[in-house]
Amino acid sequence: MRNCYILSILILFSLCSEKKTVVMDSEIINQELNNNELIIVFDRNKERTELNSFGNNPRESFYFKREDFDPPFDDPNLHISVFHGLDQDTIQIKRRELDKMIVWFDSEMGYMDWFRLNYEKYYIIYQDEYLVKGSLNPEHKFTAYEVKIHTGGVE
């Protein structure tokens, strides 16, 4: 009988215990807000990729165009273009922040991957700046350029 009394008290305490509130970390909230942003590690030195700059400083305003994709989209008329202008952001992202974001690698993207992109904002980090000594350090900063991306072809 005494065991039943103790058991019922324990059950009563567990049912009446205070509910816990989960508070989300601000970094997690920021990550959820940035789910419509895509970071692309972009190979600016890839074959069939040409750079055109506007003005004196190619870091302020540039335009990459890539044509003639690998099979099955090796049509020389298909192309992508990546444009960064003076009205777009250039930001610094620390490695620890980058690890929480959506990151794609240009080297793994075919024409249809570019064609089907559906994010609100795009940023590129140059692959040759991404793959440097010390880039795995959580405090390492990368320069990311906000870009507009277009796909197209000539009929």
Side-chain angles (χ1 to χ4, degrees), residues 18 30 32 39 47 50 63 81 92 95 103 133 151:
E18 188 175 316
N30 287 339
E32 289 179 359
I39 306 289
E47 186 178 353
E50 64 181 60
Y63 169 75
S81 57
Q92 297 290 314
R95 173 51 150 212
V103 179
K133 184 177 180 179
T151 58

Side-chain angles (χ1 to χ4, degrees), residues 22 37 92 99 122-123 129:
V22 177
E37 295 179 355
Q92 297 290 314
D99 289 341
Y122 301 97
Y123 292 90
E129 294 177 1

Side-chain angles (χ1 to χ4, degrees), residues 97-113:
E97 296 167 349
L98 187 64
D99 289 341
K100 297 173 187 170
M101 300 176 85
I102 302 169
V103 179
W104 288 14
F105 289 82
D106 169 41
S107 60
E108 298 175 2
M109 295 171 66
Y111 179 79
M112 290 307 291
D113 295 316

Side-chain angles (χ1 to χ4, degrees), residues 9-101:
I9 290 176
L10 289 173
I11 292 173
L12 184 61
F13 275 120
S14 67
L15 293 175
C16 295
S17 67
E18 188 175 316
K19 292 183 179 178
K20 295 182 180 179
T21 305
V22 177
V23 178
M24 293 182 72
D25 185 43
S26 63
E27 288 184 13
I28 295 172
I29 293 170
N30 287 339
Q31 177 186 355
E32 289 179 359
L33 293 176
N34 292 332
N35 278 342
N36 283 324
E37 295 179 355
L38 175 65
I39 306 289
I40 299 174
V41 178
F42 187 78
D43 184 1
R44 60 181 162 180
N45 300 314
K46 189 172 184 171
E47 186 178 353
R48 298 179 300 267
T49 302
E50 64 181 60
L51 166 67
N52 298 299
S53 62
F54 306 102
N56 295 333
N57 189 346
R59 290 198 176 260
E60 290 179 359
S61 185
F62 58 81
Y63 169 75
F64 285 100
K65 185 173 182 180
R66 183 176 298 155
E67 298 176 321
D68 195 17
F69 285 81
D70 294 331
F73 298 101
D74 55 351
D75 185 337
N77 296 316
L78 296 177
H79 66 269
I80 62 158
S81 57
V82 177
F83 175 80
H84 172 78
L86 295 173
D87 60 333
Q88 294 169 303
D89 292 333
T90 300
I91 60 174
Q92 297 290 314
I93 302 174
K94 289 185 179 180
R95 173 51 150 212
R96 67 178 141 84
E97 296 167 349
L98 187 64
D99 289 341
K100 297 173 187 170
M101 300 176 85

